[in-house]
Amino acid sequence: MDWNNKQEVLEKVKIKGWELEFASDKLKSDKEIALIAVKQYGYAFEFISSKLKDDRDIVLEAVKNSYPIIKINRKFRDDKEIMIEALKNDNSLFLVSDRLKDDFDIVIQAIKKDYDSLYYASDRLKDNRKLILEAVKESGYLLKYASCNLRDDKEIVTKAVSNFGRALDYVSERFKDDKKIVLEAIKQDSMALQFASDRLKNDVEIIKIAVEDDLKNFKFAGDKIKEQFPTIEDFYDKKNN
């Protein structure tokens, strides 16, 4: 194998991009070879010449193939196309530019990879109804990061608790006291009972549904229920009589 021979190196890196490491310095500076190598193996980016590490085409192909954001020139963290591709494989929204943390498409892509990425989104997007509605469709857990305003939005709250019951923890006090919302939450996850309002923790219908799913949920029942039914056995005995 002649590592100074362009054609031979091209054929090698088409199959094993990492073998660019063994090419001559001259061929590590060859854009055609570098592109083929990083398309086959993103981490071949490690072996290209320094001057090519600022080449946008090569960076784009590298991140498409899982090369991490943290290792590329910081200037590319403000390049939307590159960041969109990078975030398909890399859960590093915190590394992208502030401008792109305020970009709807970027943030949606990031949360598809890692739900907790929403934490790094701009405050404006955390108050963007369209984005948060899309986010809670992915996982109701993401309501955690929504603005207070959107935690009080009935459609968003309903969607969130319907696929992640314990999102009830993040809804406004108004909806913790909304029987329909609480029922939706405990039907999805009976342990969501712990986040209901005191009034609804004393609602016999709600307690019945929660404990029928898991007897341990009786510990979340309100004081009035426990005064009336000191034990879970009392609750069932009296309810069935």
Side-chain angles (χ1 to χ4, degrees), residues 203-213 235-236 239-240:
D203 184 293
V204 172
E205 179 187 2
I206 285 176
I207 299 303
K208 185 173 185 292
I209 292 171
V211 298
E212 282 180 347
D213 182 68
F235 180 79
Y236 271 108
K239 285 303 296 170
N240 293 327

Side-chain angles (χ1 to χ4, degrees), residues 68-104:
I69 294 171
I70 197 168
K71 292 194 168 193
I72 63 174
N73 191 311
R74 294 180 68 91
K75 71 180 182 180
F76 294 115
R77 298 182 189 180
D78 194 48
D79 185 308
K80 182 172 179 176
E81 183 183 8
I82 288 176
M83 290 299 99
I84 284 280
E85 292 298 330
L87 290 166
K88 291 177 181 178
N89 302 301
D90 191 339
N91 60 353
S92 300
L93 182 63
F94 69 96
L95 290 173
V96 310
S97 69
D98 289 343
R99 181 181 74 87
L100 293 183
K101 287 174 186 171
D102 192 46
D103 184 285
F104 184 97

Side-chain angles (χ1 to χ4, degrees), residues 31-237:
K31 181 172 179 176
E32 182 183 5
I33 289 175
L35 273 172
I36 289 173
V38 298
K39 282 181 181 180
Q40 201 285 320
Y41 177 65
Y43 276 81
F45 191 84
E46 297 280 328
F47 310 125
I48 65 176
S49 67
S50 297
K51 71 175 185 178
L52 289 182
K53 289 183 176 178
D54 279 338
D55 185 287
R56 186 181 182 279
D57 296 332
I58 292 174
V59 171
L60 180 58
E61 292 302 327
V63 299
K64 283 181 179 179
N65 286 284
S66 302
Y67 195 72
I69 294 171
I70 197 168
K71 292 194 168 193
I72 63 174
N73 191 311
R74 294 180 68 91
K75 71 180 182 180
F76 294 115
R77 298 182 189 180
D78 194 48
D79 185 308
K80 182 172 179 176
E81 183 183 8
I82 288 176
M83 290 299 99
I84 284 280
E85 292 298 330
L87 290 166
K88 291 177 181 178
N89 302 301
D90 191 339
N91 60 353
S92 300
L93 182 63
F94 69 96
L95 290 173
V96 310
S97 69
D98 289 343
R99 181 181 74 87
L100 293 183
K101 287 174 186 171
D102 192 46
D103 184 285
F104 184 97
D105 299 327
I106 289 284
V107 173
I108 283 291
Q109 182 60 60
I111 63 178
K112 287 179 179 178
K113 177 66 178 175
D114 177 13
Y115 292 152
D116 282 312
S117 291
L118 187 56
Y119 173 82
Y120 299 104
S122 67
D123 289 342
R124 184 185 72 85
L125 285 183
K126 288 176 183 175
D127 193 44
N128 181 295
R129 190 176 188 279
K130 181 180 177 184
L131 183 133
I132 297 300
L133 190 55
E134 288 298 314
V136 298
K137 287 178 183 177
E138 292 284 330
S139 172
Y141 166 77
L142 292 174
L143 187 65
K144 175 180 180 179
Y145 301 117
S147 67
C148 292
N149 177 50
L150 296 181
R151 293 185 194 191
D152 194 51
D153 182 297
K154 188 167 187 177
E155 183 182 5
I156 288 174
V157 165
T158 301
K159 180 60 69 176
V161 300
S162 69
N163 67 45
F164 182 67
R166 294 188 213 187
L168 189 64
D169 187 22
Y170 311 127
V171 309
S172 67
E173 294 303 315
R174 176 167 76 101
F175 286 123
K176 289 178 190 285
D177 194 49
D178 184 304
K179 187 168 181 176
K180 287 184 179 179
I181 295 291
V182 172
L183 281 170
E184 188 72 36
I186 64 174
K187 286 176 182 176
Q188 200 285 323
D189 181 346
S190 60
M191 287 192 70
L193 174 63
Q194 64 189 294
F195 305 117
S197 68
D198 289 342
R199 181 179 74 87
L200 293 181
K201 285 179 180 177
N202 287 293
D203 184 293
V204 172
E205 179 187 2
I206 285 176
I207 299 303
K208 185 173 185 292
I209 292 171
V211 298
E212 282 180 347
D213 182 68
D214 187 339
L215 295 177
K216 293 178 183 178
N217 288 324
F218 190 71
K219 66 185 177 184
F220 301 126
D223 292 341
K224 291 180 182 178
I225 289 284
K226 289 179 178 177
E227 286 173 9
Q228 188 176 359
F229 311 108
T231 68
I232 187 68
E233 291 80 8
D234 291 327
F235 180 79
Y236 271 108
D237 287 345

